[in-house]
Amino acid sequence: MSRRLLAIRAIVLLTAVLGLNYVIWRWLFSVNWVAWWVAVPLVLAETYSLVDSLLFGLGMWRLKERGAAPAPDPDLTVDVFIATYNEPIELVMRTARAAKAIRYPHETWVLDDGNRPDMREAAEAEGIRWITRSADWAGMPRHAKAGNLNNALLSTEGEFFLILDADQVPHPDILDKTLGYFNDEKMAIVQTPQFFENVPESDPLGSQAPLFYGPIQQGKDGWNAAFFCGSNAVIRREALMQLGVSRYVGEVEVGVHRALRAARAVLRSARRDLAPDQQEVRGALDRILAEIRQARRALGQGEPLFDVTYAFQRRVAEIRRELVTADLTALQSDLAAIAELEGIADDPDVALGTVDEDVLQQLAHRDWSPLGAVETVQALVNAVDVDRGGEAQAVMPLATISVTEDMATCMRLHALGWRSAYHDETLADGLAPEDLATMLTQRLRWAQGTVQVMFRENPLVQKGLTLAQRLMYFATMWSYMSGFAALVYIAAPIIYLTFGVLPVQALSTDFFARLVPFLVVNQLLFIVVAAGRPTWRGQQYSLALFPVWIKSFTTAFGNVFLGRSLDFAVTPKTKSAEGGRTRWDLVRPQLWAMALLAVAALVGIVRVAVGQAPVFGTVFNVVWVIFDLAVFSVIIQAARYRGFEPTPSEVPEGAAGEPHEGAA
């Protein structure tokens, strides 16, 4: 074990002890219950921050520095995918030419989701393959980038594929330095950093993520939880196709189980209403109930799904024919309900696995005639959408449950027992947002996608993941809830300085003796794990973008639980049309927060001057305000940013003194 890792573990332990000591003491002895309306939110925010710190420390506990990968097998087949929708053609071609020049033998593909004839012409003129969606996608859900990639997966054959965004220009040795990891037959994904060449050293938009594309991913890698980030990653096709097939079978199986449960309830209801002299009918219903038990038992033992459902349907059909002559008179009252259910089976846009549970409950508790019950059972099982008629492809290897396909896909692969690796070396140069509006669009989409995954497939309850993997995925999702804590951290000093309401019982020596060491050691942990990488900008934006984080949470909640639309926006690769003016409207909540903080500080100073407030408490909160204003100052820089103007030292190699496409 290296000295650095030993130092990190010592600081992690110290941070955990000091943090727990402070927060437990706050809950037990320090909350000012008289002012509970501000005291409780503050201690909850502090508890949130402690959990965030503990999850970060857990990741750093096994920080993994891999070094160089082994030499790859020279005979692997590789596809390079360049995903594009509406980006400028020359920008895409710059990436495509670089991809074609990758040294390891491969096939280069432009995945043109915009189906542009001029894009096709430009690609094919330089010997680069072009592909767009097949006709099967017409009128079907498109699933944005995930759908584009899923379409390409079923039209290509390479054992491995490298995914690149349209602006991510690969280095010639990107495959030479990553394919060797796949000597491990259980390796599914190798992720490399996303680095942006059009970012000045000051990085006013916080585009570079040196902490995430470094220690955080390395820490997750130590727990086999480094995850796919959408671009600059090499993926094993076998792993992804296994995932697609297993998800497909799993979803169909869920539908079958739901159908069998509802069918059992229908039959039991019909059986209770039988007259004593209907022994023949009772026997027929009992036979079908036995068939349901047998089908569920066979599924539980892992027998092929299609064999089980086919055999069950055949046996139910035989019993149905036996009952036809015995129950024609009672059948009329059931026809409407059966027709409605068969309409579900015939509707290509509806699968039984997605039918509302209330509908199935209503069917199960309706008064059925015996033959009507049998007809219903057959319709229920037939309604399982084995062909997934509501989708362009039955098999969707990349996850389509959120506006970002990457995290959910990788989490599912880990749950199947596959491994991932993070190679900490820049092997592609991309383009970052050139203005505030574009940056906010990008960050909101990332956050929305992550929160959607948390709501739909919370890693804490996913089978197949280790405990550490669950926590590593959850740590990323948890971090996007910081917007609510930020509101409290902004409001607390304002309330104290303006109204004198203290959320703690006293600003005592005991309070500072617990708080200050925790804050100092926590910052020391960041410094040590960063190893010289700049982290301040990332810390600023984690607080300064609190409106974005809150919006991501509320909109994702509305989408997942309330069925509201969540519009997908491709991150523009050039400046917005309004990039020439300062967009203060985009950061109005932050400007209001800064104004309120500044006014509160002045009010607090005046209150001290007239003897209405204690000096010490006011000084402490004014320092807090100054820190918040220093954090929010990045918003001023971002709003005034006019795009990348490279200095001679920042001109990309080979650019002959000219900025690349999309630069200002």
Side-chain angles (χ1 to χ4, degrees), residues 27 94 144 209 275 281 489 497 513 649-650:
W27 276 104
R94 179 172 181 254
V281 175
Y489 291 140
L497 292 168
S649 63
E650 293 172 330

Side-chain angles (χ1 to χ4, degrees), residues 128-206:
I128 295 167
R129 306 290 294 275
W130 176 92
I131 190 173
T132 193
R133 306 251 189 165
S134 69
D136 295 335
W137 290 86
M140 295 293 183
R142 295 188 65 79
H143 303 303
K145 182 181 174 182
N148 190 12
L149 291 167
N150 281 330
N151 175 74
L153 281 170
L154 298 190
S155 303
T156 56
E157 298 179 350
E159 300 168 88
F160 301 90
F161 53 92
L162 166 65
I163 295 178
L164 297 169
D165 281 345
D167 63 304
Q168 291 285 341
V169 179
H171 297 187
D173 56 355
I174 186 170
L175 293 177
D176 294 302
K177 292 188 173 183
T178 54
L179 285 174
Y181 289 109
F182 294 100
N183 294 346
D184 176 355
E185 293 183 354
K186 293 300 293 179
M187 185 65 67
I189 290 179
V190 177
Q191 178 67 54
T192 70
Q194 293 188 25
F195 173 81
F196 305 102
E197 60 184 358
N198 62 329
V199 175
E201 290 185 9
S202 60
D203 194 9
L205 299 180

Side-chain angles (χ1 to χ4, degrees), residues 38 489-503 507 595-608 610 612-626 628-629:
V38 63
Y489 291 140
I490 294 166
I494 293 174
I495 292 170
Y496 176 79
L497 292 168
T498 306
F499 304 107
V501 177
L502 192 64
L507 294 174
L596 291 172
L597 286 165
V599 170
L602 292 175
V603 171
I605 292 170
V606 171
R607 293 182 71 240
V608 169
V610 299
Q612 294 183 355
V615 175
F616 184 74
T618 302
V619 170
F620 172 74
N621 280 273
V622 167
V623 171
W624 189 348
V625 165
I626 292 172
D628 282 350
L629 290 175

Side-chain angles (χ1 to χ4, degrees), residues 5 80 106 138 226 242 271 334 356 362 367 388 424 520 565 596 599 631 653:
L5 188 55
V80 177
H106 66 283
Q242 181 195 2
R271 192 178 184 279
D334 299 334
D356 192 284
Q362 291 172 15
D367 290 333
R388 294 186 71 172
D424 189 30
V520 170
S565 175
L596 291 172
V599 170
V631 169
E653 183 179 350

Side-chain angles (χ1 to χ4, degrees), residues 396-465:
M396 293 282 193
L398 277 95
T400 59
I401 63 168
S402 82
V403 294
T404 53
E405 73 290 339
D406 41 22
M407 177 184 288
T409 298
C410 198
M411 186 169 70
R412 292 173 175 181
L413 285 169
H414 280 133
L416 287 177
W418 290 95
R419 288 194 279 271
S420 65
Y422 178 69
H423 183 78
D424 189 30
E425 180 182 5
T426 299
L427 295 173
D429 301 312
L431 298 181
E434 289 274 14
D435 54 51
L436 178 61
T438 305
M439 181 269 276
L440 293 176
T441 297
Q442 181 191 68
R443 303 299 171 82
L444 177 61
R445 178 167 56 85
W446 289 350
Q448 285 174 326
T450 302
V451 177
Q452 280 180 305
V453 176
M454 180 178 70
F455 286 148
R456 288 191 167 122
E457 294 185 6
N458 191 319
L460 296 180
V461 296
Q462 292 304 306
K463 295 179 180 179
L465 296 176

